[in-house]
Amino acid sequence: MKNKYFKLIPAIVAVSLTFTACATASGTSQNSDSIISSQTEETESSSNTTEEDTATDTSKESQSQSETTEYFSARDLSGEIDTTNAVEITLNGDSISASSDGVSISGSNLTITKEGTYIISGTLENGSIIIDATNEEKVQLVLNGVSINSDTFAAIYVAQADKVFITLAEGTSNTLTNGGSFIQIDDNNVDAVIFSKDDITLNGIGSLKIESSAGHGIVSKDDVVIANGTYDINVSQTAIKANDNLNIADGTFNISGGSDGLHSENNDDETLGAIYIAGGTFNITAYDDGIHATTILKIDGGAFDISTAEGLEATYIVINDGNISISASDDGIN
């Protein structure tokens, strides 16, 4: 990994880069409505809007139409919570209760099998939330002040879905942890606190803490999109890892990783493995790379404080805007 790219900055380097020539693409999204109130008007107005429709929210004026279409869907950015037919799930230490038959409960494990919005609150001392819907169904998990620990597995596991949205409810603090090992329950090699076989989006304006002494923080075998929120991630492996593409619109990220901070790589398709960052605040301390993309790393804005062996690594690196400070023992930019 260290020798296959042209090295732009010699070893043992500290660099501070400020880019202001181009406008920043900001993906700020907020949901100011109460999570428990009806959103009938919003539901009616958005009933004919698909996930792929272009976001035109005036709060994102600085984000161009083309960037929104290419990297983020309207639903990615909105973080809206439609409570009309939402299922309420309460975690009670070592048990779970739910208001729908669209879920199955086995001890302290809950499996969601149908498309919809699921609002989760409470504490789960040792268990998992599992999504196993069809590959055409979208599921939204609303973390409304939760603490989920799994001693031997992922706290949230997406076995199958078209796409899963994990929305951090406004003003809430949420915690997901792994106790130190991963015992597999199917043919997938689950090795992260949040592990998804399909596309996953994290949005909303709450906060999420992720900890694991034995694995990664967030992993998707497809795309990872993060639109907003505050993330404190302390793991032994990579903090956020995508197989195909990792796209970040905004957010605050405090990352301590045993391997990489942000990573995108597909071992089966060399054309995939890109990272796009439109904005956000990133404080990254990692053993290996701060941000690693196999193909293209494109930065259109954000504030970065990176302390690693290598700061930014990719086959192609495009920096259009942002404030970037790198302290690296090997390469600042590779």
Side-chain angles (χ1 to χ4, degrees), residues 40-88:
T40 304
E41 293 181 0
E42 290 181 5
T43 303
E44 291 174 351
S45 64
S46 62
S47 61
N48 295 321
T49 303
T50 66
E51 180 195 335
E52 289 74 23
D53 289 340
T54 301
T56 57
D57 190 335
T58 56
S59 68
K60 312 174 191 72
E61 290 177 352
S62 62
Q63 185 163 28
S64 72
Q65 190 86 351
S66 62
E67 287 167 336
T68 300
T69 303
E70 183 176 359
Y71 299 107
F72 311 104
S73 74
R75 188 171 180 182
D76 287 336
L77 295 170
S78 73
E80 292 180 353
I81 303 167
D82 181 6
T83 62
T84 305
N85 296 306
V87 177
E88 294 186 5

Side-chain angles (χ1 to χ4, degrees), residues 28-311:
T28 302
S29 59
Q30 294 188 355
N31 172 38
S32 59
D33 295 321
S34 170
I35 191 172
I36 61 174
S37 66
S38 173
Q39 299 178 351
T40 304
E41 293 181 0
E42 290 181 5
T43 303
E44 291 174 351
S45 64
S46 62
S47 61
N48 295 321
T49 303
T50 66
E51 180 195 335
E52 289 74 23
D53 289 340
T54 301
T56 57
D57 190 335
T58 56
S59 68
K60 312 174 191 72
E61 290 177 352
S62 62
Q63 185 163 28
S64 72
Q65 190 86 351
S66 62
E67 287 167 336
T68 300
T69 303
E70 183 176 359
Y71 299 107
F72 311 104
S73 74
R75 188 171 180 182
D76 287 336
L77 295 170
S78 73
E80 292 180 353
I81 303 167
D82 181 6
T83 62
T84 305
N85 296 306
V87 177
E88 294 186 5
I89 297 171
T90 303
L91 311 178
N92 306 297
D94 59 357
S95 65
I96 304 170
S97 59
S99 62
S100 170
D101 59 0
V103 303
S104 61
I105 299 171
S106 176
S108 57
N109 294 316
L110 178 140
T111 302
I112 295 171
T113 58
K114 295 181 179 179
E115 182 172 85
T117 299
Y118 299 82
I119 301 173
I120 308 173
S121 60
T123 297
L124 196 60
E125 295 174 354
N126 182 21
S128 300
I129 305 298
I130 300 170
I131 296 91
D132 193 7
T134 72
N135 58 12
E136 298 179 348
E137 292 182 304
K138 295 178 175 63
V139 174
Q140 182 180 29
L141 300 182
V142 179
L143 303 188
N144 187 32
V146 305
S147 177
I148 301 174
N149 172 70
S150 177
D151 287 345
T152 58
F153 198 60
I156 296 176
Y157 170 44
V158 180
Q160 181 172 273
D162 175 43
K163 189 172 186 176
V164 171
F165 299 84
I166 298 178
T167 301
L168 309 177
E170 181 178 2
T172 64
S173 298
N174 305 277
T175 301
L176 304 175
T177 57
N178 162 261
S181 65
F182 291 90
I183 298 175
Q184 306 307 316
I185 64 173
D186 54 24
D187 293 336
N188 298 317
N189 182 28
V190 176
D191 56 0
V193 177
I194 298 176
F195 185 95
S196 178
K197 286 287 293 179
D198 296 297
D199 294 337
I200 189 170
T201 290
L202 290 93
N203 57 19
I205 52 176
S207 67
L208 176 60
K209 178 184 290 185
I210 295 175
E211 295 182 349
S212 174
S213 61
H216 306 288
I218 300 169
V219 168
S220 172
K221 293 304 181 179
D222 281 331
D223 291 346
V224 175
V225 172
I226 301 178
N228 214 327
T230 298
Y231 303 88
D232 294 304
I233 304 176
N234 186 350
V235 291
S236 63
Q237 300 297 320
T238 295
I240 303 173
K241 184 178 182 181
N243 210 46
D244 295 350
N245 301 287
L246 171 56
N247 298 331
I248 298 175
D250 203 353
T252 299
F253 302 83
N254 300 306
I255 290 173
S256 178
S259 183
D260 293 351
L262 310 179
H263 188 106
S264 183
E265 180 176 9
N266 188 313
N267 293 324
D268 299 321
D269 189 343
E270 293 182 352
T271 66
L272 299 173
I275 296 177
Y276 172 70
I277 299 174
T281 300
F282 301 82
N283 300 301
I284 300 175
T285 300
Y287 179 78
D288 198 353
D289 298 339
I291 302 176
H292 178 112
T294 302
T295 55
I296 299 173
L297 167 59
K298 181 179 179 182
I299 297 174
D300 276 346
F304 301 80
D305 188 351
I306 299 173
S307 178
T308 56
E310 292 195 348

